[in-house]
């Protein structure tokens, strides 16, 4: 509690700001501060016990906890078809460094860079064309050189979205947002998410509809503003962004020239369906925070292909001689 008549009381604007003064020890709580011979260094305000240099805490307690369950299925089928499918269910939790020395529980959340569900499939398929095949089994040699022995090798990746943190306008009325996290009260999983189509005029995509009035004025859905001096219970990285999809495809064919000489033609198509994956929201983005709950409609305006770099379909052709 800060009372200007008591110079040793804690100021709410400096209660957690320890980059300049050792504000945690306002009020002379350290034995050295209570020593009558103690003289603060130049620049330290009245009632503060510390020094003007910044302080840094190096700890070994901000690790990442990772658990995963993986299932792999591989099958070799007839007619030159083989496939492997891998599914991963994974969870990773870590702690944001900015507030962990005060309250580790408040900044615990899902790892920002981990997609919690991922399906990866790949395989090979030799097309049934050419001599001794299902189609064109009796063609001539020169026709077989054209239509026979083509092989497809697809790679598919389908993953869930990356997590981000909800916040709300007016956080500074409850906690000093420069140093303490600020979450709304509510469940992030109840927020209705819907990824809209790309708008070529505004160059963004709709993602969710937030409240049109500040959360400090009235609740929205099941969300409400956190009371004074509370961080909020929605938590860090509690909402997930758009999913990720990509498929690459390789097409290759071998051309026997002589007994010891072989030519191989190969075409690699990266992002063969030319699918542009959306990133996270750009409004208020920090290391984790990217979603505001009470500023109306929220749009995705950054990420691959949307306001940032793109990953369109790319084709690569190559010829290799083997001898």
């Amino acid at each position: 509690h800060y009372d200007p008549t008591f110079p040793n009381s804690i100021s709410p604007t400096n209660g957690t700001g320890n980059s300049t003064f050792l504000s945690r020890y306002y009020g002379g709580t350290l034995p050295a501060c209570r020593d009558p011979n103690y003289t603060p260094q130049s620049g330290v305000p009245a009632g503060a016990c510390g020094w003007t240099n910044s302080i840094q805490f190096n700890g070994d307690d901000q690790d990442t906890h990772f658990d995963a369950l993986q299932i792999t299925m591989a099958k070799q089928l007839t007619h030159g078809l083989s496939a492997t499918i891998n599914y991963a269910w994974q969870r990773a939790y870590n702690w944001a460094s900015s507030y962990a020395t005060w309250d580790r529980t408040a900044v615990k959340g899902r790892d920002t860079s981990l997609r919690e569900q991922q399906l990866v499939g790949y395989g090979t398929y030799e097309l049934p064309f050419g001599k001794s095949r299902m189609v064109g089994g009796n063609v001539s040699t020169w026709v077989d050189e054209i239509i026979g022995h083509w092989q497809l090798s697809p790679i598919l990746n389908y993953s869930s979205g990356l997590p981000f943190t909800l916040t709300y306008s007016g956080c500074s009325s409850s906690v000093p947002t420069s140093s303490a996290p600020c979450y709304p009260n509510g469940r992030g999983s109840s927020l209705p998410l819907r990824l809209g189509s790309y708008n070529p005029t505004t160059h963004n995509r709709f993602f969710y509809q937030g409240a049109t009035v500040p959360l400090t004025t009235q609740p929205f859905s099941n969300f409400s503003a956190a009371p004074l001096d509370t961080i909020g219970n929605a938590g860090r990285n509690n909402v997930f962004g758009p999913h990720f999809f990509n498929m690459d495809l390789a097409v290759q064919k071998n051309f026997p020239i002589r007994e010891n000489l072989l030519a191989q033609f190969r075409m690699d198509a990266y992002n063969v369906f030319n699918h542009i994956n959306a990133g996270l929201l750009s409004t208020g983005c920090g290391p984790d925070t990217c979603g505001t709950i009470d500023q109306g409609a929220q749009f995705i305006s950054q990420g691959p292909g949307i306001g940032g770099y793109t990953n369109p379909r790319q084709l690569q052709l190559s010829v290799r001689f083997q001898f």
Side-chain angles (χ1 to χ4, degrees):
H1 176 69
Y2 177 70
D3 187 337
T5 61
F6 293 92
N8 291 338
S9 58
I10 299 177
S11 168
T13 59
N14 289 332
T16 58
N18 55 12
S19 60
T20 304
F21 304 112
L22 192 57
S23 303
R24 296 186 187 196
Y25 300 118
Y26 265 71
T29 57
L30 289 180
C33 303
R34 296 194 296 267
D35 190 323
N37 297 320
Y38 173 74
T39 302
Q41 292 188 20
S42 175
V44 177
C49 173
W51 49 86
T52 56
N53 294 325
S54 62
I55 62 173
Q56 177 174 319
F57 173 77
N58 295 322
D60 59 357
D61 57 349
Q62 295 177 12
D63 51 357
T64 299
H65 294 179
F66 176 78
D67 296 288
L69 172 66
Q70 295 193 26
I71 301 175
T72 301
M73 181 180 68
K75 183 67 175 177
Q76 181 74 41
L77 303 173
T78 57
H79 306 294
L81 175 63
S82 64
T84 301
I85 298 176
N86 178 272
Y87 169 76
W89 178 95
Q90 46 201 7
R91 294 289 185 272
Y93 294 89
N94 58 15
W95 289 263
S97 61
S98 59
Y99 195 72
T101 56
W102 289 84
D103 187 348
R104 280 169 53 85
T105 304
V107 292
K108 179 182 179 180
R110 290 176 167 91
D111 188 282
T112 308
S113 59
L114 181 73
R115 300 182 184 273
E116 296 195 339
Q117 297 192 68
Q118 187 173 44
L119 180 69
V120 177
Y122 56 92
T124 59
Y125 178 53
E126 192 164 339
L127 299 180
F129 306 122
K131 280 189 176 182
S132 304
R133 299 301 175 93
M134 188 180 303
V135 180
N138 298 319
V139 297
S140 61
T141 301
W142 70 271
V143 174
D144 181 62
E145 285 290 330
I146 298 174
I147 68 173
H149 307 287
W150 286 94
Q151 187 178 77
L152 303 180
S153 300
I155 302 176
L156 179 143
N157 187 332
Y158 184 84
S159 307
S160 59
L162 293 172
F164 64 95
T165 303
L166 287 177
T167 186
Y168 64 97
S169 60
C171 278
S172 58
S173 62
S174 299
V175 293
T177 55
S178 61
S179 51
C182 188
Y183 317 127
N185 283 333
R187 293 174 57 87
S189 59
S190 66
L191 181 66
L193 305 175
R194 180 180 62 83
L195 184 63
S197 58
Y198 178 71
N199 188 323
T201 303
T202 58
H203 304 287
N204 57 21
R205 301 174 70 173
F206 172 84
F207 192 45
Y208 70 83
Q209 177 63 50
T212 56
V213 296
L215 206 61
T216 52
T217 303
Q218 67 181 54
F220 165 71
S221 184
N222 74 327
F223 296 97
S224 61
L228 182 64
D229 292 337
T230 61
I231 292 175
N233 59 22
R236 171 176 161 260
N237 281 350
N238 58 348
V239 188
F240 291 89
H243 68 267
F244 175 86
F245 171 81
N246 185 71
M247 185 170 181
D248 300 331
L249 178 66
V251 181
Q252 67 179 37
K253 174 177 169 54
N254 294 329
F255 295 91
I257 300 176
R258 291 200 308 264
E259 182 177 357
N260 323 344
L261 184 60
L262 177 73
Q264 182 185 83
F265 168 79
R266 182 181 177 99
M267 180 187 71
D268 292 283
Y270 302 100
N271 189 8
V272 64
F273 294 122
N274 202 30
H275 176 77
I276 304 301
N277 289 289
L280 291 177
L281 288 86
S282 62
T283 303
C285 269
D288 300 310
T289 304
C290 286
T292 305
I293 196 65
D294 58 355
Q295 291 187 351
Q298 296 294 297
F299 296 86
I300 291 177
S301 57
Q302 72 172 24
I306 304 176
Y309 80 95
T310 60
N311 59 342
R313 178 174 50 235
Q314 299 181 33
L315 300 179
Q316 177 177 296
L317 304 178
S318 62
V319 177
R320 187 181 70 173
F321 292 95
Q322 181 177 323
F323 54 90

